[in-house]
């Protein structure tokens, strides 16, 4: 990738350098001879070269821009989609393969098995099976006798109750029990180790649903008064350059202004949304909380803005061949666009893609043959 990028830069330098020559049948004009026709701060890049290197522009106009507050946060699983799987019986657990945190599981999938074989006291499931078998035989014995009036109703009801108790105690599997996933999801925590002894009711693992996620933003308490204005959010994760828009993922604000709880100087602002992009719970997020109040202003794509030693610039296209580096003052951002307070005006054309090549052209003090400006 680096080699390809270096080749591209070298190619651009060659193309820009070639612009100063007009062939063997024409006299060459030096940069100094053309300097009087070129603005001192103008960058020259031929249209065909700009197209070749993906330079794109946008005409500046005033737009309605929602104020956004940049905060940090994380993706979590909604409480309603979290399941703790427990052991149904006591014994040693044997986990199936690939049962690790992060693994996907399906509803009904067998996670492992529990057996008490070899432990003092024997297998409770096996003992329960024996008790159930004995209770059923006793019930089968007294039922016809009760119908004939030989056995009293009290004895019959006692046999029936004993059978029901034995049936309720039986796990359904002689020699142990199985552990299964109660729903589709992802294993978030594994609470046991292979061959660990468990008692009935002990937690085995935690499964979180993957269909929905919660975006939890940590809003500094100094923005408390803006809380009622927050209507949506955009966010990005370290794993991707994409900016996800909650409003496009069936997201909704779930933390209201009436149940505010401050946590260490921060107010948690939460959105539930459909996880259509297969994002993982527990992921850090850089979040832009979008407010309802909209202002008419200039807001340019973040890709249009370059920074040098803390100073921000954009490249304005002044004609077919010429660009101008323009100092700008910026304000807030919603993650995709940044507000411009000064430096450019509506109607001007600004570079939004390929700024690196325009910047490189700035170092080539070359004017294409026959190109001049009479302003």
């Amino acid at each position: 990738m680096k080699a390809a990028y270096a080749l591209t830069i070298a190619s651009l330098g060659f193309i820009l350098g070639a612009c100063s020559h007009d062939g063997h049948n024409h006299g060459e004009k030096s940069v100094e001879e053309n300097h009087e026709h070129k603005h001192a701060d103008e960058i020259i890049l031929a249209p065909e070269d700009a197209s070749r290197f993906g330079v794109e522009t946008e005409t500046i106009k005033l737009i309605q821009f929602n104020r956004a507050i940049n905060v940090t946060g994380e993706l979590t699983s909604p409480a309603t989609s979290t399941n703790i799987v427990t052991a149904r019986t006591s014994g040693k657990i044997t986990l199936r393969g690939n049962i690790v945190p992060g693994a996907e599981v399906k509803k009904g999938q067998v996670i492992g098995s529990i057996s008490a074989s070899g432990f003092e006291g024997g297998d409770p499931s096996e003992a329960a099976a024996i008790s159930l078998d004995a209770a059923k035989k006793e019930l089968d014995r007294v039922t016809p006798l009760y119908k004939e009036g030989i056995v009293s109703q009290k004895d019959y009801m006692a046999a029936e109750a004993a059978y029901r108790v034995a049936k309720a105690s039986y796990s359904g599997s002689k020699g142990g029990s199985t552990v299964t996933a109660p729903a589709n999801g992802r294993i978030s925590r594994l609470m046991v180790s292979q061959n660990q002894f468990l008692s009935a009711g002990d937690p085995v693992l935690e499964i979180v649903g993957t269909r929905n996620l919660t975006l939890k933003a940590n809003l500094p308490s100094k923005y408390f008064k803006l809380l009622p204005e927050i209507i949506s959010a955009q966010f990005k994760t370290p794993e991707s350059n994409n900016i996800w828009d909650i409003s496009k993922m069936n997201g909704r604000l779930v933390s209201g202004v009436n149940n505010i709880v401050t946590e260490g100087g921060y107010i948690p602002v939460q959105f539930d949304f459909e996880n259509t992009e297969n994002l993982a719970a527990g992921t850090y997020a850089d979040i832009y909380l979008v407010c309802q109040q909209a202002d008419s202003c200039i807001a340019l794509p973040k890709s249009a803005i370059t920074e040098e030693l803390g100073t921000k610039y954009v490249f304005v296209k002044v004609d077919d061949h010429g660009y101008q580096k323009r100092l700008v003052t910026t304000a807030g951002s919603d993650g995709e666009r940044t507000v411009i307070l000064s430096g450019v005006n509506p109607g001007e054309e600004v570079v939004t893609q390929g700024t690196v090549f325009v910047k490189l052209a700035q170092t080539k003090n070359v004017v294409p043959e026959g190109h001049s400006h009479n302003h």
Side-chain angles (χ1 to χ4, degrees):
M1 182 65 184
K2 290 183 178 179
Y5 182 76
L7 180 60
T8 301
I9 296 298
S11 300
L12 178 61
F14 175 78
I15 291 170
L16 293 172
C19 290
S20 62
H21 300 285
D22 193 39
H24 297 291
N25 297 324
H26 298 81
E28 295 185 353
K29 294 186 179 182
S30 67
V31 172
E32 289 75 18
E33 290 173 328
N34 282 292
H35 187 71
E36 62 182 1
H37 301 293
K38 175 176 177 282
H39 294 299
D41 59 351
E42 189 171 347
I43 303 165
I44 304 303
L45 183 62
E48 57 270 22
D49 296 333
S51 176
R52 181 180 303 180
F53 290 101
V55 176
E56 298 178 7
T57 62
E58 175 183 301
T59 301
I60 300 173
K61 58 184 178 181
L62 295 176
I63 62 172
Q64 292 296 113
F65 186 82
N66 293 80
R67 178 178 179 179
I69 307 169
N70 189 199
V71 299
T72 59
E74 65 175 332
L75 302 178
T76 63
S77 296
T80 54
S81 67
T82 301
N83 292 283
I84 301 293
V85 181
T86 60
R88 295 168 56 195
T89 60
S90 299
K92 182 180 68 174
I93 186 167
T94 302
L95 297 170
R96 293 288 180 92
N98 199 35
I99 300 301
V100 294
E104 297 279 349
V105 293
K106 300 294 184 182
K107 182 178 180 179
Q109 178 180 332
V110 176
I111 294 169
S113 59
I114 297 176
S115 173
S117 298
F119 288 94
E120 185 178 353
D123 189 340
S125 292
E126 188 173 357
I130 294 172
S131 297
L132 177 62
D133 185 58
K136 186 176 186 306
K137 287 180 179 179
E138 177 62 14
L139 181 61
D140 290 343
R141 185 185 72 82
V142 300
T143 297
L145 297 177
Y146 169 68
K147 291 179 179 179
E148 295 176 7
I150 300 174
V151 173
S152 66
Q153 183 179 18
K154 179 180 178 181
D155 290 339
Y156 170 74
M157 292 182 67
E160 186 179 42
Y163 171 73
R164 289 179 178 176
V165 170
K167 187 176 181 180
S169 300
Y170 179 51
S171 66
S173 175
K174 290 185 178 181
S177 63
T178 57
V179 181
T180 58
N184 295 339
R186 180 183 288 114
I187 299 174
S188 58
R189 285 192 297 161
L190 187 60
M191 304 174 186
V192 298
S193 56
Q194 189 72 282
N195 298 323
Q196 180 179 333
F197 181 82
L198 302 176
S199 296
D202 284 350
V204 176
L205 50 75
E206 179 183 71
I207 297 175
V208 296
T210 55
R211 181 177 179 181
N212 296 294
L213 286 178
T214 295
L215 176 67
K216 181 182 178 182
N218 301 315
L219 178 69
S221 55
K222 66 180 181 179
Y223 294 113
F224 170 77
K225 292 184 178 180
L226 293 177
L227 196 59
E229 298 180 14
I230 295 174
I231 56 173
S232 187
Q234 296 180 356
F235 67 95
K236 61 183 298 185
T237 62
E239 294 80 11
S240 173
N241 290 324
N242 291 330
I243 296 178
W244 313 110
D245 189 341
I246 284 290
S247 64
K248 297 178 181 178
M249 304 169 80
N250 290 327
R252 63 187 183 91
L253 179 65
V254 294
S255 58
V257 296
N258 296 323
N259 56 348
I260 299 171
V261 178
T262 303
E263 300 176 356
Y266 293 91
I267 302 170
V269 180
Q270 300 184 54
F271 298 83
D272 282 350
F273 65 95
E274 289 185 8
N275 187 18
T276 56
E277 303 298 332
N278 198 31
L279 300 169
T283 303
Y284 166 85
D286 184 24
I287 305 169
Y288 293 86
L289 295 174
V290 181
C291 297
Q292 192 170 19
Q293 182 180 359
D295 299 317
S296 181
C297 62
I298 294 174
L300 299 180
K302 295 182 72 174
S303 59
I305 302 169
T306 60
E307 186 172 347
E308 295 179 6
L309 301 176
T311 304
K312 296 179 180 179
Y313 298 88
V314 298
F315 293 103
V316 177
K317 186 175 182 180
V318 294
D319 56 37
D320 285 345
H321 289 75
Y323 299 82
Q324 187 180 63
K325 184 179 180 181
R326 195 82 62 81
L327 174 67
V328 293
T329 304
T330 63
S333 172
D334 65 355
E336 292 184 330
R337 288 180 174 267
T338 299
V339 174
I340 306 297
L341 298 179
S342 65
V344 291
N345 300 299
E348 292 185 305
E349 201 170 347
V350 65
V351 176
T352 57
Q353 296 292 335
T355 54
V356 63
F357 297 109
V358 180
K359 185 176 180 179
L360 182 62
Q362 180 185 5
T363 65
K364 302 293 182 180
N365 193 19
V366 177
V367 182
E369 182 68 28
H371 181 67
S372 63
H373 301 281
N374 295 310
H375 300 291

